[in-house]
């Protein structure tokens, strides 16, 4: 099967994607589908986006050769430092891109869903920067678990609405945001935080995050003389940092692309979030993709120690790259990720997000050849995870 980088005109990557939405959301989605490419390709848009990425976010992020980590694996490991972005993760790349787009569409209000609060904080930040009203939907359970990020969003001027339906987590917050959008279709733009949702969101978010692999190519060329590594590794929740890190390598067949999914307590434990290992095809949050389901097709509750990977599915492009074999998937347990995260602290003086620690742990699963060149996308910093790390240290 041929690997698609972009969706076809109906929003499909192979057999995944599309736009499965209620009639009431049709007008909003149609407007986006019609206009997103033209707006994003316009020179004024590019200029504003690139300026903000440089001066506000701090891009390009460094490509750092992790010497002591490389020695351990007898290879050359480079870390793409998305953890050094303003607000601490890759999410800001997408939030800024979408808010500029929302302004061009004449929208007056932004809504977003958030799980751990990283996307909520990035979006609240972008809204403060632009002086636009911001409403963030967050499951009640997550509001309790992620109190510091709730505080940050409030300080940034966002309204945080706790969602008490269902399991009171990310998927319920997503449902609530969609409901709100249906009720307020004209003045509001919905900033989805990953490469999920109805077409054109997966493609739009992929393009905003693709700056990651664009920079990696340039930086690797300067560093090694070749823009191609042997492998690129990234963790997958919905798939936006992985898509950003893979994007410009998808057509370079000699580069192996590795996605680390959260196995949680183990693939067969009933407490997992590994969508390609445990998922089947179905419709989730507006697109056809792979996600974990109960026997009667309901969404199965995911589990991962990292809130950012605690999502039952993956974006449609990632499902397609799994189907086509272009991306290799590895499953990493909670314990394995925690160990790899702690190890990076000691070896390199970098505290990674627990999500990113899954990508680091995947190094153990691979059959590395000596001296190969590997890029690991360090999607975020671990400040938000201190409690999780400290609990582990004490246990
Ligand atoms: C949100 C998040 C993720 C997971 O989301 P993707 O869309 O899969 O990238 C991974 N790492 C960090 C640091 C995050 O904040």
């Amino acid at each position: 099967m041929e690997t698609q980088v972009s969706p076809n005109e109906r929003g499909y990557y192979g057999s995944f994607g599309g736009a499965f939405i209620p009639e009431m959301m049709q007008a909003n989605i149609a407007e986006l589908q019609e206009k997103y490419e033209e707006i994003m390709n316009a020179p004024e848009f590019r200029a504003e986006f690139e300026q903000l990425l440089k001066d506000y976010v701090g891009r390009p992020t460094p490509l750092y050769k992790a010497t002591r980590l490389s020695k351990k694996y007898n290879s050359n490991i480079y870390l793409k430092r998305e953890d050094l972005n303003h607000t601490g993760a890759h999410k800001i790349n997408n939030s800024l891109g979408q808010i500029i787009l929302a302004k061009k569409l004449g929208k007056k209000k932004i809504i977003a869903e958030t799980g751990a609060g990283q996307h909520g904080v990035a979006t609240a930040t972008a809204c403060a920067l632009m002086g636009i009203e911001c409403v963030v939907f967050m499951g009640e359970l997550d509001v309790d678990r992620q109190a510091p990020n709730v505080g940050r969003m409030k300080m940034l001027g966002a309204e945080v609405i706790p969602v008490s339906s269902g399991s009171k987590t990310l998927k319920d917050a997503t449902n609530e945001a969609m409901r709100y959008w249906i009720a307020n279709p004209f003045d509001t733009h919905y900033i989805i935080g990953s490469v999920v949702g109805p077409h054109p969101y997966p493609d739009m978010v992929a393009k905003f995050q693709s700056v990651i692999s664009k920079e990696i190519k340039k930086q690797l060329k300067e560093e090694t003389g070749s823009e191609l590594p042997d492998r690129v590794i990234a963790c997958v929740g919905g798939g936006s940092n992985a898509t950003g890190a893979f994007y410009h390598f998808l057509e370079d067949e000699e580069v192996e692309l590795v996605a680390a999914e959260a196995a949680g307590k183990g693939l067969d434990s009933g407490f997992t979030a590994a969508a390609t290992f445990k998922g089947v095809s179905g419709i989730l949050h507006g697109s056809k993709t792979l996600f974990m389901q109960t026997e009667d097709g309901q969404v199965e509750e995911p589990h991962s120690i990292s809130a950012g990977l605690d999502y039952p599915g993956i974006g449609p492009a990632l499902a397609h790259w799994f189907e086509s074999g272009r991306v290799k998937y590895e499953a990493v347990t909670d314990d394995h990720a925690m160990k790899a995260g702690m190890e990076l602290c000691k070896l390199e003086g970098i505290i990674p997000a627990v999500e990113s620690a899954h990508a680091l742990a995947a190094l153990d699963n691979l059959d590395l050849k000596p001296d190969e060149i590997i890029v690991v996308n360090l999607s975020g910093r671990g400040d938000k995870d201190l409690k999780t790390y400290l609990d582990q240290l004490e246990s």
Side-chain angles (χ1 to χ4, degrees):
M1 174 185 290
E2 208 178 310
T3 295
Q4 274 173 250
V5 176
S6 301
N8 68 17
E9 62 291 346
R10 285 166 43 251
Y12 277 84
Y13 303 83
S15 53
F16 299 107
F20 296 83
I21 48 173
E23 169 93 28
M24 305 282 288
M25 240 164 93
Q26 198 69 45
N28 275 325
I29 293 296
E31 180 184 36
L32 274 180
Q33 288 175 351
E34 251 167 60
K35 298 184 180 160
Y36 82 107
E37 282 177 305
E38 194 188 319
I39 294 176
M40 286 172 66
N41 292 333
E44 322 87 74
F45 182 97
R46 302 245 41 107
E48 185 175 359
F49 184 47
E50 279 159 24
Q51 180 92 41
L52 282 176
L53 288 181
K54 175 168 167 284
D55 297 333
Y56 189 71
V57 177
R59 305 204 71 95
T61 57
L63 184 70
Y64 164 69
K65 172 138 191 219
T67 316
R68 294 196 342 118
L69 186 69
S70 297
K71 200 159 170 210
K72 179 189 160 185
Y73 288 101
N74 189 24
S75 59
N76 301 291
I77 302 172
Y78 291 86
L79 303 178
K80 182 58 172 164
R81 300 290 309 274
E82 293 301 294
D83 60 315
L84 294 178
N85 283 325
H86 181 44
T87 69
H90 64 290
K91 298 254 167 42
I92 190 84
N93 304 328
N94 169 51
S95 293
L96 284 176
Q98 285 201 50
I99 205 160
I100 303 171
L101 187 109
K103 269 199 320 181
K104 305 273 183 216
L105 289 170
K107 305 292 177 182
K108 302 281 179 272
K109 190 190 237 184
I110 295 294
I111 56 170
E113 85 295 336
T114 198
Q118 291 301 103
H119 173 58
V121 169
T123 300
T125 299
C127 288
L129 178 72
M130 298 293 180
I132 294 183
E133 191 183 341
C134 181
V135 180
V136 179
F137 295 89
M138 189 171 187
E140 250 176 15
L141 204 74
D142 293 330
V143 170
D144 282 343
R145 288 195 289 195
Q146 310 289 334
N149 275 342
V150 176
R152 283 183 189 109
M153 286 184 265
K154 288 184 176 164
M155 285 184 73
L156 292 160
E159 182 187 356
V160 179
I161 300 188
V163 174
S164 57
S165 57
S167 57
K168 307 179 172 58
T169 59
L170 178 59
K171 71 172 173 52
D172 312 290
T174 306
N175 290 335
E176 208 55 47
M178 287 187 171
R179 231 167 265 146
Y180 184 96
W181 205 23
I182 289 169
N184 300 271
F186 301 115
D187 63 344
T188 304
H189 175 68
Y190 177 17
I191 300 190
I192 294 184
S194 190
V195 283
V196 301
H199 175 62
Y201 278 100
D203 187 43
M204 194 163 72
V205 179
K207 287 186 166 127
F208 290 137
Q209 294 293 0
S210 70
V211 64
I212 301 173
S213 48
K214 190 173 161 203
E215 288 176 6
I216 294 173
K217 275 195 159 176
K218 181 159 181 273
Q219 291 167 319
L220 214 52
K221 171 106 188 166
E222 282 164 12
E223 180 83 16
T224 68
S226 165
E227 61 178 22
L228 302 183
D230 295 296
R231 302 178 209 240
V232 181
I233 309 176
C235 67
V236 176
S240 70
N241 87 88
T243 299
F246 296 165
Y247 198 85
H248 291 285
F249 295 111
L250 281 161
E251 287 173 338
D252 300 314
E253 298 280 331
E254 62 270 53
V255 181
E256 184 173 87
L257 305 174
V258 181
E261 288 195 331
K265 297 184 180 184
L267 285 177
D268 296 319
S269 65
F271 294 91
T272 183
T276 63
F277 291 88
K278 289 287 157 185
V280 288
S281 178
I283 312 288
L284 177 66
H285 294 144
S287 64
K288 187 166 174 225
T289 193
L290 292 173
F291 64 100
M292 304 189 313
Q293 300 174 25
T294 59
E295 260 167 37
D296 50 0
Q298 298 296 321
V299 182
E300 181 139 21
E301 261 331 295
H303 165 85
S304 167
I305 195 164
S306 65
L309 306 186
D310 201 350
Y311 185 70
I314 48 174
L318 283 123
H320 166 61
W321 300 330
F322 171 71
E323 176 187 48
S324 79
R326 180 65 189 92
V327 173
K328 176 182 157 97
Y329 284 77
E330 293 290 334
V332 170
T333 62
D334 290 349
D335 288 347
H336 189 188
M338 291 304 290
K339 200 164 146 261
M342 302 269 202
E343 186 177 72
L344 192 74
C345 301
K346 301 264 166 61
L347 281 179
E348 299 289 344
I350 297 169
I351 303 175
V354 176
E355 289 83 2
S356 322
H358 286 71
L360 293 162
L363 285 164
D364 292 326
N365 298 16
L366 302 172
D367 188 15
L368 303 180
K369 298 181 294 297
D371 296 322
E372 64 176 270
I373 293 175
I374 303 163
V375 176
V376 179
N377 196 41
L378 209 70
S379 55
R381 67 178 84 128
D383 306 32
K384 67 184 178 59
D385 300 315
L386 275 195
K387 190 172 177 313
T388 310
Y389 279 122
L390 293 177
D391 286 351
Q392 179 91 359
L393 269 184
E394 278 156 21
S395 68

